[in-house]
Amino acid sequence: MTGPAWEYDGYRPQEERLRESLCTLGNGYFATRGALPECAADDVHYPGTYAAGCYNRLTSEIAGRRVENEDMVNLPNWLPLRLRPEGGDWLTPDTAPVTEHHQVLHLDPGLLERRTGYGLPGGGTLHVRQLRLVHMADPHLAALRTELTVEGRAVGLEAEAALDGRVTNSGVARYRELDGRHLTRLHTGTAAPGTVWLRCRTRTSEISFGLAHRLTADAPVIHANEAHRAVQRVHLRLVPGRTVTVDKTVALHTSRDPAIGDPRHAAVERVDAAPGFDALRESHAAAWEQLWRRCALEVPGEAGSILRLHLFHVLQTLSPHTADLDVGVPARGLHGEAYRGHVFWDELFVLPYLNLHLPEVSHALLRYRHRRLDAARHAARERGRRGALYPWQSGSDGREETQELHLNPRSGRWLPDHSHLQHHVGSAVAYNVWQYCEATGDTEFLHGEGAEMLLHIARFWADSACYDPALRRHRIRGVVGPDEYHDAYPGARTPGLDDNAYTNVTAAWVLTRALELLNALPEPRRRELTDGIGLEQDEPARWDEISRTLHVPYHDGVISQFEGYGDLAELDWAAYRERYEDIRRLDRILEAEGDTVNRYKASKQADVLMLGYLFSAPELRSLFARLGYHLDDRTWAATVDHYLHRTSHGSTLSGLVHGWILARARRADAWAFVQEALRGDIADLQGGTTGEGIHLGAMAGTLDLVQRGLTGLEPRAGVLSLDPVPLPELSSYGFPFRYHGHWGVHLRLRSGLLEIDVPASDRSPIGVRLWDEVIPVVPGETARLVLPE
Ligand code: BGC
């Protein structure tokens, strides 16, 4: 096989978890970690399979309290295929001599290949080559081909394939004290001809699952089902020089699927109707080829290879199949159990990329939020406020899923978790509604569900703001910003901080957009909406006033992260860096020392600086101007400098945001952060967390860094603005995108020449703005713009 690949050599138990995450195969509907089929879950291996949006809630006893947690459920393992030489034991790399081991993730065709040599008892070597796919065209199918060749002597070999229902959610050590037994009512059975099945359901959410598999080999297949495992076996005779092939074809359905009777029947029928491995592989590769064409990102060199891997995992989590599902953006992909498969604000780093390639997927992800608008309104009401308060962590039904306690593995203490006070997640939803509509021109959505969300989120902000006569400004108090290290004032009894600059500025933006939209709505729709939400007559005027008077605190000539931030102590960064190998999780270090990060000017990740990520410099200036503040380049540069020296980057999102804004504010320093974002998962920079799932926001964010960050590409008011910024290490790139119904628009930058190619169609020209000039690019034409040195 040729084409871009991701390769691992040798068997290294300590790296296995990381490889499993990075070799996950998925299709947006479900995904399976790249675990070895002969290994069950233990301290080294963790073969997880997750179907998007399938959660279950359980209650556990922790630190003397009953806590409830909703988890994305680990499904029965469809991978098992183990081998046993006559008179020997089942072969695993942990118990048998391994003569070679090689694992290759082939990105273009979406295949995982593994080759292992096992030394056999009594002499000889068994060469195992496996090819695995999770089908991108038929999202319910997966397949595993195993090719067996013996060297040195002839051997009898038993091959056993199974669907294993004896799984729990136990992939994250920190969560082990929580109940992870989500599945119940396991049954197995045989369906003629030659297919076995397993069905089960979740304990509380009552989602049922049906899996079926069919083994194909040049030998009679024996059914040997057990209570919790659907099993097929074959006895093979291997002679040197002749390769024997065993194919396992698997189908998965859940009770959430449309157009099925029940999941078990659907799975059995699906696997029966499935063609052989070669045909499956072909149709799978064809589906991938189409995806790559829509989403290609042409960047040379090492950065390009990493970006391609990131794109691969983004598309495996959020594929065209996602458009049919009721799911959000899982922060850690469908690749592991960290954060329990929950949905955070990370879609802020994902949707802007998808909007320009797979807008129907963005649309579906926004509909996930819209279906949970009532839950968000309920959450606001519970706080005595109107509007919608989206949860910091969201799962099945849109209630707040943030854990009440979290474990600091350094101190072993369970601590109260106040991150649910990150109300800014609502602004991320609103921002995504707006960006999606700007990129697609989808006014149906903007005037429909989009407007409902935007108005309710705006209303929540207006109701959260209280007027402070002394300051003569509005304030939003008792929140937590994106830097979740600071969750209270030092010594305070109640959690929350006042006037988080990011929260206030984005709230002002939401209010402004909501007013703009209200004015732009066709009159009948405006009536519907205002009647529907009971918008009082004076509310728009109040929104307008708040959008102009929210307080933004300053200290020492820079924007303060929140009111009082300037009074916090300086941390001795050098001393901590010397004392600890890695200070990314400074919060845990300080807590374990009996101190608290709340006392210091020390942030986990970009907070104030997020403003430079979301808004171009002119837009940010005008937002500040509307709020009555003059934001000049000097103040912004000083603000960047201030936080740059006081951030530990305890989230993969931080390197990305810093790289993005430094590319404009301090180019020489940008690359180090871009690299941190590029290497975050492949090098597992957050200290072992990638093995628990990839960081989807950072992965998608790096794609968007090229797409929007470096080009300054901004779809706005029907015009495509560009404001390219040179980054020497990423100086040539190209990508196709979709914009306002134009398919395959191609942007290319090479040797200071920027080209935009608009394919022929009957659509209107695209207005492209470069700095102050707007030029119309007619379909069928290419615009060439020479950038200054
Ligand atoms: C970050 C959040 C992020 C979450 C999920 C946390 O570590 O601080 O900003 O939403 O991870 O990715």
Side-chain angles (χ1 to χ4, degrees):
M1 255 172 287
T2 53
W6 211 254
E7 305 198 23
Y8 297 96
D9 246 328
Y11 175 64
R12 301 211 174 79
Q14 71 283 7
E15 275 181 27
E16 203 45 27
R17 278 278 212 280
L18 175 64
R19 291 185 188 182
E20 288 176 355
S21 281
L22 293 173
C23 290
T24 294
L25 293 183
N27 56 26
Y29 172 82
F30 83 100
T32 297
R33 289 165 59 79
L36 297 172
E38 64 268 41
C39 298
D42 58 19
D43 287 345
V44 175
H45 310 278
Y46 196 72
T49 288
Y50 312 94
C54 291
Y55 294 99
N56 185 61
R57 193 181 300 285
L58 293 177
T59 305
S60 315
E61 189 91 29
I62 287 291
R65 273 166 68 172
R66 284 169 69 73
V67 295
E68 216 181 73
N69 278 297
E70 192 179 63
D71 284 76
M72 177 169 81
V73 177
N74 183 18
L75 301 185
N77 183 13
W78 66 267
L79 286 177
L81 193 136
R82 52 182 185 167
L83 304 161
R84 173 161 64 180
E86 246 164 27
D89 285 330
W90 296 111
L91 299 169
T92 79
D94 307 304
T95 52
V98 173
T99 58
E100 54 146 351
H101 184 71
H102 202 65
Q103 196 161 314
V104 191
L105 183 64
H106 300 279
L107 301 181
D108 274 357
L111 290 173
L112 178 62
E113 178 184 8
R114 67 80 67 103
R115 290 195 302 272
T116 305
Y118 277 120
L120 296 174
T125 308
L126 176 68
H127 295 281
V128 183
R129 176 174 183 256
Q130 285 177 319
L131 281 179
R132 181 191 308 184
L133 61 87
V134 170
H135 211 275
M136 193 45 101
D138 182 336
H140 301 284
L141 286 178
L144 177 69
R145 163 161 285 181
T146 305
E147 293 168 353
L148 303 162
T149 319
V150 75
E151 199 186 304
R153 67 178 176 102
V155 282
L157 192 77
E158 182 182 353
E160 182 197 82
L163 301 168
D164 191 350
R166 301 167 307 176
V167 299
T168 58
N169 275 52
S170 52
V172 178
R174 291 184 302 289
Y175 304 162
R176 291 229 172 116
E177 286 184 52
L178 306 172
D179 191 353
R181 291 164 300 128
H182 293 285
L183 298 177
T184 183
R185 306 261 181 95
L186 275 110
H187 295 281
T188 59
T190 301
T195 303
V196 289
W197 54 261
L198 181 150
R199 78 176 140 95
C200 58
R201 71 164 177 74
T202 50
R203 277 167 63 196
T204 61
S205 57
E206 298 190 10
I207 304 174
S208 4
F209 302 97
L211 289 95
H213 90 75
R214 183 184 75 205
L215 200 64
T216 322
D218 212 1
V221 175
I222 305 154
H223 298 263
N225 286 344
E226 298 163 7
H228 297 149
R229 288 199 322 146
V231 182
Q232 289 183 322
R233 294 199 185 115
V234 284
H235 291 279
L236 306 165
R237 185 80 203 149
L238 300 185
V239 291
R242 210 179 68 100
T243 297
V244 168
T245 301
V246 177
D247 287 340
K248 181 179 183 184
T249 314
V250 178
L252 163 69
H253 273 280
T254 86
S255 53
R256 284 164 54 98
D257 295 342
I260 61 160
D262 71 88
R264 173 173 69 91
H265 276 107
V268 168
E269 276 167 22
R270 177 106 18 197
V271 97
D272 282 348
F277 187 87
D278 289 324
L280 280 177
R281 177 178 165 174
E282 229 170 84
S283 49
H284 170 67
W288 263 111
E289 200 184 320
Q290 237 179 50
L291 264 186
W292 287 122
R293 269 205 304 272
R294 281 198 200 177
C295 305
L297 186 58
E298 302 129 30
V299 171
E302 198 201 359
S305 319
I306 300 173
L307 287 167
R308 214 172 159 77
L309 179 77
H310 287 184
L311 181 52
F312 182 71
H313 285 302
V314 170
L315 294 175
Q316 293 201 112
T317 311
L318 303 166
S319 82
H321 300 296
T322 311
D324 259 356
L325 304 174
D326 173 35
V327 300
V329 175
R332 305 301 284 276
L334 301 172
H335 295 59
E337 291 163 14
Y339 289 131
R340 306 186 177 86
H342 291 173
V343 175
F344 296 63
W345 72 325
D346 301 49
E347 61 206 56
L348 193 55
F349 303 87
V350 179
L351 262 68
Y353 175 77
L354 292 178
N355 290 341
L356 292 164
H357 301 274
L358 302 168
E360 57 285 349
V361 176
S362 297
H363 182 254
L365 296 167
L366 291 170
R367 299 245 311 138
Y368 164 86
R369 290 299 195 179
H370 183 260
R371 289 190 198 95
R372 286 149 187 82
L373 180 57
D374 276 344
R377 293 179 63 190
H378 177 76
R381 265 199 309 279
E382 286 215 308
R383 284 193 146 63
R385 294 183 203 162
R386 291 181 298 179
L389 167 60
Y390 274 96
W392 173 239
Q393 294 187 26
S394 179
S396 61
D397 61 9
R399 78 177 79 164
E400 181 57 78
E401 299 293 354
T402 304
Q403 65 277 30
E404 292 157 33
L405 299 173
H406 65 240
L407 178 70
N408 179 358
R410 259 185 199 279
S411 67
R413 277 189 284 268
W414 286 89
L415 307 160
D417 191 315
H418 301 303
S419 56
H420 67 275
L421 292 174
Q422 292 191 66
H423 296 175
H424 64 82
V425 59
S427 295
V429 174
Y431 182 89
N432 274 334
V433 166
W434 197 262
Q435 292 294 332
Y436 162 78
C437 295
E438 292 277 24
T440 58
D442 186 349
T443 40
E444 289 301 313
F445 182 77
L446 181 63
H447 294 170
E449 291 127 316
E452 287 169 21
M453 287 190 274
L454 199 59
L455 295 184
H456 280 295
I457 295 165
R459 198 181 214 184
F460 175 76
W461 286 135
D463 242 32
S464 300
C466 52
Y467 188 70
D468 183 330
L471 275 175
R472 292 205 283 170
R473 283 198 166 265
H474 281 90
R475 313 183 64 180
I476 296 175
R477 312 186 73 161
V479 297
V480 168
D483 157 37
E484 46 195 36
Y485 278 179
H486 292 98
D487 65 356
Y489 287 102
R493 288 204 178 167
T494 48
L497 303 156
D498 302 334
D499 310 301
N500 171 251
Y502 173 81
T503 303
N504 287 8
V505 174
T506 54
W509 179 88
V510 172
L511 288 161
T512 311
R513 294 287 89 84
L515 288 167
E516 200 176 297
L517 180 62
L518 260 184
N519 287 331
L521 282 172
E523 168 52 24
R525 179 60 183 149
R526 181 166 50 236
R527 282 254 318 261
E528 272 180 26
L529 273 174
T530 51
D531 289 356
I533 69 174
L535 194 76
E536 284 158 23
Q537 228 175 0
D538 63 345
E539 276 191 84
R542 191 172 135 69
W543 294 8
D544 185 68
E545 195 207 332
I546 295 169
S547 76
R548 294 172 191 280
T549 53
L550 275 164
H551 177 48
V552 179
Y554 284 80
H555 72 279
D556 304 337
V558 304
I559 304 167
S560 304
Q561 198 171 297
F562 49 83
E563 184 62 57
Y565 170 94
D567 302 331
L568 300 181
E570 290 286 3
L571 184 86
D572 186 349
W573 291 85
Y576 273 87
R577 286 208 171 93
E578 198 162 297
R579 200 137 30 104
Y580 295 90
E581 201 183 321
D582 184 344
I583 61 159
R584 285 189 177 84
R585 292 308 303 260
L586 192 59
D587 59 331
R588 292 179 177 164
I589 291 176
L590 288 166
E591 195 275 334
E593 287 182 349
D595 202 345
T596 164
V597 72
N598 275 329
R599 295 206 309 118
Y600 301 98
K601 290 192 180 94
S603 302
K604 177 183 187 185
Q605 66 198 84
D607 190 304
V608 175
L609 301 192
M610 273 299 299
L611 294 171
Y613 180 79
L614 294 192
F615 306 114
S616 63
E619 188 171 12
L620 192 57
R621 263 198 306 275
S622 85
L623 259 171
F624 270 71
R626 185 183 172 97
L627 285 165
Y629 299 100
H630 175 66
L631 180 64
D632 54 26
D633 290 349
R634 249 199 25 226
T635 310
W636 180 249
T639 303
V640 169
D641 197 61
H642 181 88
Y643 293 101
L644 197 56
H645 292 108
R646 292 169 179 80
T647 302
S648 75
H649 308 293
S651 156
T652 51
L653 298 172
S654 197
L656 169 72
V657 175
H658 281 83
W660 183 295
I661 59 163
L662 289 177
R664 282 175 198 274
R666 257 167 68 164
R667 194 166 311 144
D669 294 330
W671 184 240
F673 288 97
V674 173
Q675 269 203 312
E676 167 110 1
L678 286 172
R679 290 171 26 80
D681 273 329
I682 58 162
D684 202 3
L685 293 183
Q686 294 290 339
T689 58
T690 300
E692 304 166 346
I694 54 152
H695 297 82
L696 196 72
M699 280 197 171
T702 54
L703 308 173
D704 202 31
L705 173 93
V706 177
Q707 176 176 275
R708 291 189 312 137
L710 299 183
T711 59
L713 187 146
E714 200 184 357
R716 200 163 168 194
V719 172
L720 205 55
S721 293
L722 290 165
D723 182 12
V725 60
L727 188 63
E729 296 84 353
L730 263 176
S731 58
S732 85
Y733 48 77
F735 52 87
F737 62 98
R738 255 161 94 182
Y739 169 73
H740 280 244
H742 290 270
W743 284 63
V745 181
H746 211 111
L747 186 148
R748 228 173 268 110
L749 181 105
R750 212 178 301 125
S751 320
L753 183 72
L754 184 78
E755 284 184 353
I756 297 197
D757 205 27
V758 181
S761 75
D762 59 1
R763 303 198 67 83
S764 318
I766 299 182
V768 176
R769 173 184 288 125
L770 188 63
W771 300 300
D772 288 330
E773 203 189 335
V774 180
I775 45 164
V777 187
V778 177
E781 287 189 356
T782 301
R784 290 193 179 79
L785 311 156
V786 181
L787 304 180
E789 285 290 311

